[in-house]
Amino acid sequence: PALFIGMSLLIVALAAVAGTLEGTHRPAGSALFLAFGVVGGYAALTRPGATAVSVLPTAIGVAVGIVLLRVLTARARSLEEPTVHASAMTRRRFLALAASAAAAAAAAGAIGRQLAQKASGAVANRMSFRLPSVLATNRSRPIAAGTDIAVPGSTPFVTENDGFYRIDTALQVPLLTTEDWSLRIHGMVDRDRTLRWSDLMRRTAIERTVTLTCVSNEVGGTLAGNATWVGYSIKDLLDEVGVHPDADMLLSRSVDGFTVGTPLAALRDGRDAILAVAMNGEPLPFVHGYPVRQVVPGLYGFVSATKWVTEIVATTYAAEQAYWTQRGWATDAPVRTMARIDVPHPLTTVRAGRVAVAGVCWAQHRGIERVEVQVDDGPWTRATLADAPSDDTWRQWWFPWDAEAGRRTVRVRATDGTGATQPADRLTPFPSGAQGWHEVVVQVA
């Protein structure tokens, strides 16, 4: 909303400038229209999946804008010249402009009604969605007692749908129905295939609890969430279409043209990569990809977690580049090992004595072996790890700290299931994920 409001205010200001320039320094106002039309056309052409046709709305809008600008400024000048018929001409012009405004309002209303009908149809479709049944053998491991440590202020083990982070490029969230949706699988395969919703529902569903992480998450950041997903095995689909042995990337495309490049090896190495249709016991929310999205454990979302997915192409990294790779981000981005302190919060005051230090840690598809805490420059001390249903989820941890008065720095680090300890050196998220120990400074009173 802030972006669209800001754009609208800027457009109004530019329109006022263009009108003033056209009235006093013709054709400077038209030139301003044209310049911003070029910018808009460039923006349209650089969108994912854009073609030459994509620039037509901008071109038509600029042409109509320049014509109207010239007509209206010419009329304004004529009104400044007194004539015998000035009053009648003013009335005629007023009626013509009023009729034009009414026509524009009617057209806008028709478009608005169409968009509202589409939105309400998508909402009704999601409300009528029936979750696929999952056999007991295909369910994720139950979340055992003690998995959620329930320390006040710490992150819950399962992230509610409304609180799950959202990162994508969609200025307007796609509103697909199950009737609209299809998935085309093609490229370097033996058999092209297009799945409709009914085809997907006939497949065997699986349930998995998986933590997703955004590559733009800073050290200690909150762009990570853990949910239980229901979906369908991507590996099974790839085996059915017969992917060529020299293909090394799966290029998936969202309905709005956004692309993601996923290493094929990660989709066929036994991890539970799925086409998800449900999240925490509900149909996928629209903002999280309804009706179908990808979920791949162990990879950052920009190379794995395509929302509103409608196309999959087996290809190679040499032949294709996905959206963020074209902008300099990594091609293959396994999630880095990370531990985060949730409590105590930074720059807070705590009472001397026993203080609970707690947080979450993750190293999806490798698991966490241990977490250690350091206060100031003291020794690293092992924290207690809560249980987790699999290596593909984060784990909670806690540490009883005997806090002494003064300004204290508390640090945390994790060691993954391969025995590799999280490095201290800080890296920024670009191009393949942040790295470093998370620390908080607190005042002990």
Side-chain angles (χ1 to χ4, degrees):
L3 175 64
F4 284 119
I5 291 170
M7 287 166 52
S8 301
L9 293 174
L10 180 61
I11 289 169
V12 169
L14 289 172
V17 172
T20 302
L21 290 175
E22 190 72 12
T24 57
H25 299 85
R26 190 174 185 179
S30 298
L32 183 62
F33 259 65
L34 184 61
F36 277 89
V38 170
V39 174
Y42 175 77
L45 287 173
T46 53
R47 284 289 297 165
T51 65
V53 178
S54 304
V55 80
L56 275 180
T58 300
I60 294 170
V62 169
V64 173
I66 290 174
V67 169
L68 286 176
L69 181 64
R70 293 194 166 200
V71 168
L72 291 174
T73 51
R75 288 183 176 182
R77 281 194 296 271
S78 68
L79 289 176
E80 294 172 357
E81 300 171 1
T83 65
V84 175
H85 304 291
S87 178
M89 290 174 65
T90 299
R91 285 194 297 272
R92 286 197 296 272
R93 292 189 182 99
F94 173 79
L95 291 172
L97 289 173
S100 300
I111 294 171
R113 283 192 297 274
Q114 184 178 5
L115 292 175
Q117 288 172 357
K118 180 180 179 181
S120 62
V123 170
N125 179 262
R126 182 177 177 273
M127 290 179 65
S128 64
F129 177 88
R130 295 184 62 184
L131 295 178
S133 60
V134 180
L135 298 174
T137 54
N138 290 332
R139 293 192 177 277
S140 61
R141 281 182 55 196
I143 298 173
T147 300
D148 199 323
I149 60 176
V151 172
S154 63
T155 300
F157 180 74
V158 174
T159 309
E160 294 184 357
N161 291 357
D162 290 344
F164 207 96
Y165 78 94
R166 176 199 167 196
I167 299 289
D168 53 55
T169 64
L171 293 179
Q172 184 175 15
V173 175
L175 297 176
L176 281 176
T177 66
T178 53
E179 286 81 9
D180 297 331
W181 181 85
S182 65
L183 177 68
R184 184 187 176 202
I185 307 172
H186 62 109
M188 298 172 67
V189 298
D190 295 333
R191 298 167 292 280
D192 286 12
R193 186 169 183 188
T194 298
L195 272 75
R196 303 293 300 179
W197 182 255
S198 57
D199 301 321
L200 193 64
M201 290 297 103
R202 282 194 290 267
R203 304 182 69 84
T204 301
I206 60 177
E207 178 188 69
R208 295 294 183 267
T209 302
V210 176
T211 297
L212 298 185
T213 313
C214 181
V215 70
S216 58
N217 195 41
E218 298 281 357
V219 173
T222 59
L223 298 181
N226 188 50
T228 298
W229 314 85
V230 173
Y232 303 88
S233 169
I234 295 176
K235 179 182 180 298
D236 289 352
L237 280 171
L238 297 179
D239 290 343
E240 290 170 15
V241 298
V243 178
H244 295 179
D246 48 344
D248 59 11
M249 179 179 75
L250 202 71
L251 187 75
S252 51
R253 181 171 281 109
S254 166
V255 70
D256 65 350
F258 176 77
T259 53
V260 164
T262 308
L264 263 169
L267 297 171
R268 310 183 77 176
D269 66 359
R271 73 186 73 197
D272 294 311
I274 61 174
L275 295 175
V277 298
M279 180 179 183
N280 289 334
E282 300 178 5
L284 286 173
F286 287 112
V287 295
H288 291 298
Y290 183 83
V292 182
R293 68 167 296 164
Q294 286 186 179
V295 172
V296 182
L299 299 177
Y300 285 116
F302 82 108
V303 295
S304 66
T306 314
K307 302 176 186 177
W308 316 289
V309 60
T310 57
E311 185 181 7
I312 289 175
V313 185
T315 181
T316 65
Y317 283 107
E320 299 280 359
Q321 282 192 323
Y323 181 86
W324 286 115
T325 306
Q326 293 172 353
R327 287 152 178 80
W329 291 78
T331 56
D332 186 2
V335 174
R336 296 183 187 272
T337 302
M338 187 65 65
R340 185 181 77 201
I341 300 171
D342 291 335
V343 289
H345 299 298
L347 304 179
T348 55
T349 299
V350 299
R351 297 188 60 145
R354 183 59 58 92
V355 173
V357 182
V360 290
C361 53
W362 58 82
Q364 292 95 308
H365 205 57
R366 302 185 303 279
I368 294 291
E369 179 185 302
R370 66 179 181 272
V371 169
E372 298 166 295
V373 175
Q374 181 189 54
V375 179
D376 296 330
D377 295 320
W380 287 97
T381 305
R382 197 156 180 162
T384 300
L385 273 174
D387 192 15
S390 79
D391 287 343
D392 291 335
T393 71
W394 61 17
R395 297 179 72 172
Q396 295 179 315
W397 60 269
W398 74 96
F399 175 74
W401 172 36
D402 292 320
E404 298 179 355
R407 185 179 177 89
R408 304 297 178 194
T409 300
V410 183
R411 299 181 186 89
V412 66
R413 69 183 183 187
T415 299
D416 69 20
T418 70
T421 299
Q422 178 182 345
D425 296 339
R426 284 289 182 116
L427 295 178
T428 61
F430 181 85
S432 56
Q435 173 186 284
W437 296 338
H438 186 213
E439 63 179 43
V440 297
V441 176
V442 295
Q443 185 70 35
V444 182

